[in-house]
Amino acid sequence: MGANVAHKFRTGLKPQAFVESMTKNQDTYQNWSDAFSWEDEQDRAFFASLQHRDDLRCLILAADWCGDVVRNLPVVLHALKETDMPVEIMVMEEHLDLMDEFLTMGGRAIPVVIFADTGGHVLAKWGPRPKHVQAVMTAFKQQNPDRNATDYEDKIKVARAEMLEQYGEGTGYQQVIVKELRELLSSI
């Protein structure tokens, strides 16, 4: 990927510190976290098998006000907990320089999960949401490139509602994230 994030190592928050510092959406975050379960023991075993990989680090751009963070970060953290990989949460507003290196379609979308080696070389990234949910926003941005259009706000509200529909009512999306992270980590 070309980017290097070594200068950001040890500048973020440990996951528990991030959760404890949340001033918005902490209860909702905790509800999604409590709802997580491993549906496939092979997935859990895969993440546990990464415990021997002492060459991996993870930085996660996040903020407590973001619905995608509140919904997706608990899944990411449950999966990564199995790996014993060092994980740091980078509060977006405090790390805009890093955020601007990992834009999604030119915009600041979070969470962004960045996997790097011990030298800080970025190996892979995931986020801000599962691919099938992100597809809604991708299509919206392609069809509505002018943020100043008079109907932009109305149309983005529709897109956001459709993204919520794609997430679904329950926790099924959580297993999608687990599979996407497993696929990504399998490739590095």
Side-chain angles (χ1 to χ4, degrees):
M1 300 197 97
N4 188 297
V5 295
H7 64 289
K8 288 296 186 174
F9 289 166
R10 292 173 295 288
T11 64
L13 297 170
K14 295 290 180 202
Q16 190 59 36
F18 173 77
V19 173
E20 289 170 2
S21 73
M22 292 176 82
T23 58
K24 296 180 180 99
N25 300 314
Q26 191 177 49
D27 290 343
T28 305
Y29 173 94
Q30 197 59 54
N31 290 340
W32 284 117
S33 184
D34 292 346
F36 179 83
S37 65
W38 290 96
E39 288 186 14
D40 183 342
E41 272 305 312
Q42 290 181 352
D43 286 336
R44 186 180 203 156
F46 167 79
F47 286 97
S49 77
L50 296 176
Q51 289 177 6
H52 74 280
R53 295 278 309 264
D54 62 357
D55 60 322
L56 297 175
R57 305 287 179 269
C58 181
L59 302 178
I60 304 172
L61 284 156
D64 63 359
W65 51 261
C66 176
D68 289 307
V69 168
V70 170
R71 185 180 283 259
N72 299 336
L73 186 61
V75 182
V76 172
L77 293 180
H78 277 288
L80 293 181
K81 185 175 184 182
E82 297 292 321
T83 70
D84 289 338
M85 184 185 309
V87 176
E88 293 180 70
I89 309 293
M90 318 303 284
V91 176
M92 184 188 82
E93 291 82 0
E94 297 171 13
H95 297 276
L96 291 176
D97 58 328
L98 184 64
M99 180 74 252
D100 289 345
E101 288 183 53
F102 294 94
L103 300 176
T104 302
M105 298 183 66
R108 293 176 175 164
I110 50 177
V112 176
V113 181
I114 304 162
F115 295 102
D117 64 17
T118 53
H121 298 96
V122 175
L123 304 171
K125 78 174 187 87
W126 179 91
R129 47 188 79 91
K131 290 175 188 169
H132 73 284
V133 178
Q134 180 60 28
V136 174
M137 184 55 72
T138 300
F140 168 80
K141 294 257 182 162
Q142 289 169 342
Q143 295 163 11
N144 300 280
D146 181 7
R147 293 180 69 100
N148 297 318
T150 55
D151 60 351
Y152 185 87
E153 286 303 316
D154 292 334
K155 287 182 177 179
I156 200 165
K157 285 179 186 167
V158 171
R160 287 182 177 135
E162 190 176 333
M163 287 190 334
L164 280 175
E165 284 180 37
Q166 290 297 317
Y167 271 118
E169 291 293 318
T171 58
Y173 80 93
Q174 293 184 339
Q175 298 313 308
V176 172
I177 293 173
V178 166
K179 300 285 188 209
E180 288 181 6
L181 289 171
R182 180 177 176 174
E183 182 181 324
L184 190 65
L185 288 167
S186 294
S187 70
I188 58 175

